[in-house]
Amino acid sequence: GLAWLALSPGLQLTTESLIPHMRLRLPTIAQVTRMADRLLFSPVLFQRHNLLYGVLALTAAGLLLSVWRCRRAGAWVALLLTLPLLLAYLVPHSPEPRFLVYQLPFVALALCNLCCWPLSLAPSLPQWIRRGATGLLTLLVAGLLSAGGLRLAITFERSTYGQTLKVVKAHAQPGDQILFYGPWQWIQFHYYDPGGLPPITTLPERAPPQLDPAEAQPTLEQLLTRAERLWVIPAAVEDVDPAHFVWGWLDAHAHRVQDEKTYRLYLPPLPAEAPSQSSRIPLGEALQLERVAWEAETVKAGQPFRITLYWRVESRLENPLEGEVQINVAMADERGHVWATTSIKRAPGEKISRGGLMIPWGAPPGGYELHATAIAEASDEALAKDVHILSTVVSATRPVPASILRDLPNADAAVFCAPPGDPCVQLVGYEPGGVRFQQGYPVPLKLHWLAPPEEPPPLDLQLQIALLPRPPLFGASEPVVTRTLRLDLAPAASQWVPGRLLTLPTALTLPPDAPTGRARVSLAVRTTGGVPWTGAANANADRVTGGSLGETRVRLFDVTVESRPVRRRLPSGLTPVEIDLGEEVGLRGYRVEGEAHPGGRLHVTYAWYARVQPTSIYAVFNHLVAPDGALVAQADSWPQGGRMLSIQWQAGEYIEDAYTLEIPAQAP
């Protein structure tokens, strides 16, 4: 063991990280529950505490039976169930389910002991009754265990590395290069290699030792010189490059146009002849956006869009700008739909920042605007919000390659056809915006449609969220919210392109009093006259559920509706008042903090009260007025920044709402 420790750098690092953790720090009940939840059910599912408590209760009952029958055997099972749980907290990382797999046989032993309990009942009972009770109890326990997500646990793809390689291959173009950021990818790469990938470079070539910036920079410079696009696939970055030198160097010298969890795509800097314009947009008092350069006058869907920002910093102020500034850029169409976002970091003293984004394949042709929000990371203060920096045009959408369609999220989802069977429209993918939502909040999603060879008539899409029955095998689904929207694959005759991809972003807002529990998002297609189209799910047969009027509802995904915390008392620390603003809303408390002087800042907090459930959306206008009536400062917004509109309030609820008034330095 000592020789192994002396020769193994990995074991030395593990030992060094373990020693500081060798002290008594008891976990919280929530941490233990979360770990046991993931162990007993599935790490790919969200917590299901009701099922967990049921399994734990049955396990405890079986354990008590073990102690009652044989005290020594029961004590052994009890220790085997508790000691691994305690030992897992000695590992120098957050406990994972694999640390506690040792417990599973003994949980099963306790459950089996419980299931066999009817066999030990009075011998006067008929044997078939005792055996039948044992069988029913066994089926109940087995059903409870499998209800935690057996199908998802079996079909879940354990590794996303193979999917990452497929995405890179589908989008790769001549002149691309791949950088393996981390040296330990070749084994899994050879296992998942789909073939036909661009040339690959590894950085660092081997580890240990860790990455050396002096050796890495020439490699990065060469890659950026010879590559038209650079795909970066990370693996164990914290181990080989804890300072993230590679990410920082590429962000400073190249355009990051795509940033996913499993890969990033970089492009070289824009050429000197790239279009540019002077902007002179102030982002706060100390920072000004002087000029913007961009990719081209028009761009195509599915292609990257590079932007370069040129800065001017005012350093003669009393409070100069310090620290990094994060520039969040959103690309929206004429209707206000945001199609792509990106984040650009501006380091202290930096005069040029590079970034970019990918134009989605399903973005319709037309005009788009880029808006920026600047945030000072040191203070988390918004220097500027939703500032228009650029306008561009997306040219006509072209047919999407089959390789791209195959790699869409939930690809090849469903086909809907007219009653005679022709024509048909194809749902080639969809993207849920999450799986857990609170009452009153929207459930966002995107639907990707493929234009058929022949132009179909305008269609209506009926999206529905329905509460799943309890238990799942009995009863009908209860609709929670339904929304109908138009699917027009040919907005203008001149824009009809067979094989084009149309992406439809939308959302279904849950009612404030929506029933909680598991719910299902489904889709039906009808003509504008109400004639239903039949549908068939291609990828998975259980996605099809019956609907009314002879239509087919295709299940898209399941969500969990959670109850929203409702405050029923006035928050502490506020000055109580009793002011009613109309029949729906009242003001019950306020607090004013800050420095009331020129250049200062005032923080105002309100406690609104919903006298009834409001039927109107209210805005809040905060005005700081001088003695002569002149407006000095202003802060207007929806309550809680729009996160909880007034129509989502519940009757009898208190809503805490805060604002900040920036007082100009020249204020009287």
Side-chain angles (χ1 to χ4, degrees), residues 440 442 509-510 512 581 584-585 608 612-621 636-649 657 659:
T509 301
L510 294 167
L581 306 171
E584 297 182 338
V585 176
W608 306 111
V612 296
Q613 183 172 340
T615 58
S616 300
I617 297 178
Y618 293 99
V620 180
F621 298 84
D636 305 336
S637 177
W638 311 110
Q640 296 186 343
R643 296 187 300 274
M644 181 60 63
L645 298 175
S646 53
I647 57 174
Q648 298 169 290
W649 299 352
D657 190 22
Y659 300 86

Side-chain angles (χ1 to χ4, degrees), residues 13 15 51 223 273 278 388 391 467 533 539 564 619:
L13 288 173
T15 305
L51 290 174
L223 279 174
E273 63 274 12
S278 298
H388 175 263
S391 297
L467 196 68
W533 280 31
R564 180 173 64 86

Side-chain angles (χ1 to χ4, degrees), residues 199-240:
I200 299 173
T201 302
T202 302
L203 192 66
E205 294 185 4
R206 63 190 64 85
Q210 294 180 343
L211 180 138
D212 183 3
E215 296 180 359
Q217 183 168 334
T219 303
L220 293 172
E221 292 174 347
Q222 294 175 7
L223 279 174
L224 212 56
T225 301
R226 65 173 184 258
E228 295 185 11
R229 307 193 311 174
L230 179 63
W231 299 87
V232 184
I233 303 178
V237 170
E238 296 292 339
D239 295 331
V240 298

Side-chain angles (χ1 to χ4, degrees), residues 296-521:
E297 295 294 341
T298 60
V299 292
K300 295 181 178 180
Q303 293 297 319
F305 183 76
R306 293 176 288 182
I307 55 175
T308 303
L309 308 177
Y310 296 85
W311 305 103
R312 178 185 176 186
V313 181
E314 184 59 60
S315 57
R316 292 175 293 180
L317 297 174
E318 294 183 5
N319 298 315
L321 183 64
E322 297 180 353
E324 288 189 342
V325 176
Q326 178 173 308
I327 314 297
N328 297 325
V329 181
M331 176 182 175
D333 61 15
E334 298 172 350
R335 296 176 298 172
H337 285 308
V338 175
W339 287 86
T341 60
T342 187
S343 177
I344 303 174
K345 293 286 186 69
R346 181 200 170 274
E350 189 177 67
K351 293 187 176 181
I352 299 177
S353 300
R354 298 181 175 89
L357 44 80
M358 292 292 293
I359 308 296
W361 277 98
Y368 289 78
E369 291 186 348
L370 272 70
H371 294 260
T373 297
I375 300 174
E377 293 201 340
S379 61
D380 201 24
E381 175 189 352
L383 304 177
K385 293 183 179 181
D386 201 28
V387 177
H388 175 263
I389 62 172
L390 185 63
S391 297
T392 188
V393 175
V394 174
S395 61
T397 309
R398 60 195 186 282
V400 185
S403 58
I404 303 295
L405 292 176
R406 286 196 298 268
D407 288 309
L408 285 172
N410 301 292
D412 200 21
V415 175
F416 293 90
C417 298
D422 190 39
C424 297
V425 294
Q426 186 176 0
L427 180 65
V428 291
Y430 58 88
E431 299 178 60
V435 293
R436 300 180 78 88
F437 301 93
Q438 288 186 355
Q439 297 167 319
Y441 282 83
V443 179
L445 70 153
K446 289 183 179 179
L447 303 175
H448 302 288
W449 297 90
L450 188 66
E454 298 180 4
E455 183 176 341
L459 299 171
D460 285 339
L461 307 179
Q462 189 187 72
L463 287 162
Q464 184 182 90
I465 299 180
L467 196 68
L468 292 177
R470 300 177 182 175
L473 300 180
F474 303 97
S477 300
E478 178 184 349
V480 175
V481 60
T482 302
R483 182 181 179 187
T484 300
L485 61 155
R486 178 65 55 87
L487 172 65
D488 195 350
L489 293 170
S494 59
Q495 295 179 351
W496 173 254
V497 180
R500 70 170 285 212
L501 186 70
L502 176 68
T503 299
L504 188 63
T506 186
L508 294 90
T509 301
L510 294 167
D513 56 351
T516 59
R518 298 288 294 175
R520 176 160 295 168
V521 181

Side-chain angles (χ1 to χ4, degrees), residues 609-632:
Y609 178 70
R611 303 178 65 190
V612 296
Q613 183 172 340
T615 58
S616 300
I617 297 178
Y618 293 99
V620 180
F621 298 84
N622 301 273
H623 292 176
L624 182 64
V625 183
D628 60 359
L631 181 64
V632 176

Side-chain angles (χ1 to χ4, degrees), residues 78-145:
L79 290 174
L80 289 169
L81 285 174
T82 54
L83 287 181
L85 189 68
L86 301 175
L87 291 173
Y89 279 88
L90 293 179
V91 180
H93 296 282
S94 299
E96 295 290 336
R98 63 178 181 271
F99 299 159
L100 300 178
V101 171
Y102 180 75
Q103 283 188 302
L104 288 179
F106 306 104
V107 172
L109 183 63
L111 293 175
C112 290
N113 199 16
L114 175 65
C115 294
C116 292
W117 168 69
L119 294 177
S120 62
L121 294 176
S124 58
L125 288 175
Q127 191 175 20
W128 66 271
I129 292 181
R130 289 182 288 168
R131 290 182 176 179
T134 296
L136 289 176
L137 192 56
T138 303
L139 289 176
L140 175 64
V141 172
L144 181 64
L145 292 174

